[in-house]
């Protein structure tokens, strides 16, 4: 089973069971986790699905592509060292990922 | 209490329902649509979905649990054909099935439909449109068996579908009546860049081309065989028509709402009866861009607009007048190109082109009276993001400095006081 824990800036956390193959963004949006807007629906065009990945989990993710890296420079809240666009993170078997959503996405 | 009835359960309708609950609105909400699908997102239909990169499941907006938990009643496969509405905005909507949906207040998020091609042969099997999931499923079902495709219409959807079909190995001809691609949505430089790219990718792009008729196949007269363009015949086993959309205003007209290229609404997404809301592709609204000429009106066809205007409408319903926030933006993925547009370029008096062929990047910045108003960016998210945030903050990007593509726009953006 894969699960993702989304924590907002106030510390409220929500853990959602995720389907392998979905993105971390899709998992949040379809379940109504606030804090991820994802206007472009995962097309890597909007940077409104920005998350800060927990330090401990970050290195375990596949590295990001240039396009994602560049888009992150335009995120509404300044990127940090573990920032990712959650539409580009695919859920894999046994994933137990922890991310924090930024204060705003737009 | 019968609550709010939202007719049209797509981008605008979904966002309206979701935003209302996020604002703490407690009243009943019914989100009704005619399509026999769970509410889904359209943009990928001409891109990732057509290319088989993603599945239908990932187009779905929300899980059923989400709708249940938020007490949003989602009704599919019901087409509203008549509305009885009282002066206070309440009434009953009648579906073609005979079902009735009473409401205290009505929101029309009925979008737009593909404009039909008024040409001989346009009703032959194999002549398709691409507006909804059924269209996309039909197209996908036919794709494996066809080789020669003619796409009629060089707007975003036509180009995207042409690029996707080319990626799938089809022989693609893109036929556009106008002198360039994408009409007025991008400037000349961008249109030419797109044309050259798609031509290089193997799409035959015909501009200023007049389609005479669609020709049946010789041995099987019940199917499409070709398209007559400027007097010659281009073979086609499949014709995809993308010649724009028509806003679905019929219901609104039938209840006396003012319509003019869409349902006419005010800044708060309220129609001419002062109570019914209209949002998204169907709505004709005052131009929300800061600095737009007085009295200028626009009807957008974009996800960004559906989302932002739905938020405005949600505020209206909860009794608050909030103006449209943010800068209009749009994206279009065309094969290997990612086009992102920030702002509206209409009325520009100067363009600055930033081109870096080595890295495949291309941007055009649009200025009016020395101020940046928009940008088209191809494979250039840094430029897009820089312009989008400059516009949102009312900051300036000096055109002369911007002309060097090696200069990051962010480094020359100035926050000058307004
Ligand atoms: C193939 C394609 C690709 C696109 N790509 C992009 C893109 O890359 N970027 C972007 O920003 N935008 C894109 N768009 C545009 C974007 O999808 C639309 O702007 C958006 O869907 C508008 O949302 P809407 O809810 O206003 O209208 P619509 O999406 O048109 O939805 C209206 C809904 O109302 C229903 N309806 C209408 N009449 C009735 C009735 N009488 N009874 C019941 N239901 C009714 C319709 O069936 C439909 O489901 C694309 C559109 C298409 C078709
Ligand atoms: S959802 Fe738009 S970039 Fe991730």
């Amino acid at each position: 089973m894969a699960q993702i824990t989304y924590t907002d800036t106030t510390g409220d956390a929500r853990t959602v069971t995720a389907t392998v193959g979905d993105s971390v963004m899709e998992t949040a949006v379809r379940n109504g986790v606030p804090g991820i807007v994802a206007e472009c629906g995962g097309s890597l065009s909007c940077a409104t699905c920005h998350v800060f990945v927990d330090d401990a989990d970050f290195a375990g993710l596949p590295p990001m592509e240039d396009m994602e890296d560049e888009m992150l420079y335009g995120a509404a809240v300044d990127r940090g060292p573990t920032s990712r666009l959650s539409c580009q993170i695919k859920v894999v078997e046994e994933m137990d990922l922890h991310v924090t959503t930024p204060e705003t996405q737009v | 209490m019968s609550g709010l009835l939202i007719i049209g359960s797509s981008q605008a309708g979904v966002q309206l329902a979701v935003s209302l609950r996020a604002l703490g609105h407690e009243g009943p909400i019914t989100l009704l649509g005619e399509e026999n699908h769970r509410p889904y997102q359209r943009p990928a239909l001409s891109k990732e979905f057509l290319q088989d990169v993603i599945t239908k499941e990932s187009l779905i907006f929300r899980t059923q649990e989400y709708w249940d938990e938020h007490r949003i009643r989602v009704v599919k496969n019901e087409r509203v054909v008549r509305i009885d509405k009282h002066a206070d905005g309440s009434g009953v909507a009648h579906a073609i099935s005979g079902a009735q949906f009473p409401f205290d207040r009505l929101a029309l998020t009925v979008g737009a439909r593909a404009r039909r091609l008024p040409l001989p042969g346009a009703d032959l099997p194999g002549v398709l449109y691409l507006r909804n999931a059924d269209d996309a499923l039909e197209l996908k079902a036919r794709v494996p068996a066809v080789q020669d495709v003619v796409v009629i219409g060089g707007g975003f959807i036509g180009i995207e579908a042409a690029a996707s079909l080319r990626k799938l190995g089809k022989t693609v001809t893109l036929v556009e009546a106008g002198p360039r691609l994408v009409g007025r949505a991008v400037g000349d430089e961008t249109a030419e860049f797109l044309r050259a790219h798609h031509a290089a990718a193997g799409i035959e792009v015909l501009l200023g081309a007049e389609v005479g008729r669609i020709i049946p196949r010789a041995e099987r007269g019940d199917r499409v065989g070709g398209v007559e363009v400027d007097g010659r015949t281009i073979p086609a086993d499949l014709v995809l028509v993308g010649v724009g959309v028509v806003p679905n205003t019929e219901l609104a007209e039938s209840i006396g709402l003012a319509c003019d290229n869409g349902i006419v609404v005010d800044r708060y997404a309220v129609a001419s009866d002062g109570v019914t809301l209209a949002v998204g592709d169907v709505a004709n609204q005052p131009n929300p861009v800061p600095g737009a000429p007085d009295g200028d009106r626009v009807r957008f066809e974009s996800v960004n607009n559906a989302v932002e205007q739905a938020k405005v409408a949600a505020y209206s319903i909860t009794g608050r007048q909030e103006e449209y926030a943010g800068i209009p933006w749009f994206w279009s993925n065309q094969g290997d190109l990612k086009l992102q547009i920030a702002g509206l370029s209409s009325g520009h008096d100067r363009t600055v082109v930033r081109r870096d062929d080595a890295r495949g990047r291309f941007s055009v910045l649009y200025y009016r009276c020395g101020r940046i108003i928009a940008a088209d960016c191809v494979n250039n998210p840094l430029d897009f993001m820089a312009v989008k945030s400059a516009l949102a903050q009312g900051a300036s990007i000096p055109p002369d400095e911007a002309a060097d593509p090696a200069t990051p726009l962010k480094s020359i953006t100035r926050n000058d006081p307004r």
Side-chain angles (χ1 to χ4, degrees):
Chain A
M1 197 187 80
Q3 60 176 30
I4 303 162
T5 305
Y6 303 87
T7 307
D8 68 16
T9 38
T10 70
D12 266 354
R14 192 166 150 196
T15 301
V16 182
T17 305
T19 308
V20 171
D22 283 2
S23 71
V24 170
M25 174 282 284
E26 286 170 318
T27 307
V29 171
R30 276 199 236 131
N31 291 287
V33 175
I36 293 183
V37 173
E39 219 168 273
C40 78
S43 200
L44 192 51
S45 300
C46 69
T48 64
C49 61
H50 177 201
V51 295
F52 301 99
V53 178
D54 269 23
D55 288 345
D57 297 345
F58 185 73
L61 296 175
M64 58 181 143
E65 312 245 333
D66 290 352
M67 201 66 101
E68 178 182 351
D69 192 34
E70 295 191 6
M71 292 286 298
L72 271 168
Y73 282 105
V77 168
D78 283 346
R79 68 186 293 175
T82 65
S83 281
R84 291 293 307 259
L85 292 178
S86 56
C87 67
Q88 301 303 306
I89 311 176
K90 285 264 175 275
V91 175
V92 292
E93 217 73 67
E94 301 301 312
M95 185 180 236
D96 182 14
L97 186 72
H98 295 73
V99 302
T100 303
T101 54
E103 189 161 358
T104 175
Q105 295 279 12
V106 285
Chain B
M1 269 235 339
S2 31
L4 176 72
L5 175 65
I6 304 174
I7 304 181
S9 55
S10 182
Q11 197 81 46
V14 165
Q15 185 67 44
L16 178 57
V18 166
S19 292
L20 276 169
R21 287 300 184 236
L23 287 172
H25 179 77
E26 293 284 342
I29 300 177
T30 303
L31 178 59
L32 174 151
E34 68 186 325
E35 296 183 68
N36 198 11
H37 298 283
R38 293 166 289 160
Y40 65 89
Q41 312 171 53
R42 286 170 210 276
L45 297 180
S46 50
K47 318 178 178 79
E48 298 86 349
F49 184 66
L50 181 53
Q51 291 166 32
D52 257 334
V53 179
I54 60 166
T55 61
K56 188 176 165 219
E57 202 56 34
S58 52
L59 304 178
I60 303 299
F61 276 110
R62 293 287 190 280
T63 57
Q64 189 56 45
E65 293 78 65
Y66 172 89
W67 299 123
D68 293 345
E69 208 179 294
H70 292 79
R71 294 174 298 107
I72 296 166
R73 182 182 164 215
V74 178
V75 180
K76 56 181 191 176
N77 206 15
E78 291 283 6
R79 176 172 172 79
V80 172
V81 285
R82 200 181 92 227
I83 297 172
D84 301 325
K85 189 175 68 72
H86 312 299
D88 68 354
S90 70
V92 183
H94 302 264
I96 210 165
S97 65
Q100 299 191 358
F101 300 91
F103 55 85
D104 295 319
R105 194 166 182 181
L106 182 65
L108 294 170
T109 51
V110 287
R113 59 179 177 271
R115 186 186 299 281
R116 300 284 141 170
L117 200 63
L119 283 183
D123 50 1
L124 282 169
V127 180
L128 307 184
Y129 294 82
L130 185 49
R131 178 66 196 181
N132 57 36
D134 286 341
D135 295 341
L137 291 168
E138 180 173 2
L139 175 59
K140 268 177 79 121
R142 283 175 185 261
V143 159
V146 306
Q147 182 54 41
D148 296 324
V149 180
V150 173
V151 177
I152 301 179
F156 286 121
I157 290 176
I159 301 175
E160 289 175 1
S164 295
L165 291 163
R166 181 68 205 132
K167 271 203 142 178
L168 295 171
K170 308 301 169 191
T171 306
V172 182
T173 307
L174 179 60
V175 184
E176 163 60 40
R180 60 193 185 82
L181 294 177
V182 215
R184 286 171 313 283
V186 301
D188 286 329
E189 292 95 341
T190 309
E192 173 51 25
F193 181 89
L194 299 178
R195 189 206 58 78
H197 173 89
H198 294 302
I203 298 175
E204 185 167 0
V205 183
L206 305 178
L207 299 178
E210 197 190 328
V211 178
R213 64 190 177 110
I214 297 175
I215 303 162
R217 208 189 283 191
E219 73 279 21
R220 288 200 50 186
D222 64 338
R223 277 165 178 253
V224 57
V227 179
E228 191 184 287
V229 181
D230 292 335
R232 72 175 167 121
T233 301
I234 303 173
D237 327 306
L238 188 142
V239 175
L240 184 67
V241 183
V243 292
V245 298
V246 183
N248 292 320
T249 52
E250 291 77 6
L251 285 176
E253 282 162 25
S254 77
I255 54 174
L257 301 179
C259 293
D260 176 14
N261 178 30
I263 305 173
V264 175
V265 296
D266 65 12
R267 285 188 190 287
Y268 309 106
V270 179
S272 62
D273 65 352
V275 49
T276 301
L277 300 128
V279 181
D281 280 18
V282 78
N284 181 316
Q285 63 183 314
N287 187 338
V289 180
D294 262 357
D296 192 31
R297 299 189 70 91
V298 283
R299 187 177 63 75
F300 290 112
E301 293 164 11
S302 73
V303 166
N304 162 251
N305 173 66
V307 169
E308 291 307 328
Q309 204 189 14
K311 291 181 191 162
V312 168
Y315 278 119
S316 287
I317 291 171
T318 56
R320 271 167 66 182
Q321 294 203 324
E322 292 282 340
E323 300 219 347
Y324 201 95
I327 298 301
W329 75 276
F330 188 80
W331 83 96
S332 170
N333 298 350
Q334 308 175 357
D336 299 328
L337 293 188
K338 175 186 286 297
L339 169 66
Q340 292 167 294
I341 304 176
L344 294 182
S345 61
S346 56
H348 67 268
D349 51 28
R350 177 170 181 186
T351 58
V352 172
V353 177
R354 289 162 58 82
R355 185 166 187 152
D356 179 349
D357 285 332
R359 302 172 73 193
R361 293 164 185 236
F362 176 88
S363 307
V364 183
L365 275 48
Y366 298 91
Y367 290 86
R368 186 169 56 216
C369 306
R371 286 205 77 90
I372 180 109
I373 55 168
D376 302 332
C377 307
V378 178
N379 293 349
N380 209 344
L382 282 177
D383 279 8
F384 169 71
M385 286 303 197
V387 173
K388 189 162 169 259
S389 57
L391 291 172
Q393 291 157 17
S396 63
I397 300 177
D400 295 325
E401 290 168 59
D404 178 0
T407 305
L409 292 179
K410 212 172 177 175
S411 72
I412 54 168
T413 300
R414 296 205 191 106
N415 260 318
D416 37 23
R418 267 223 198 137

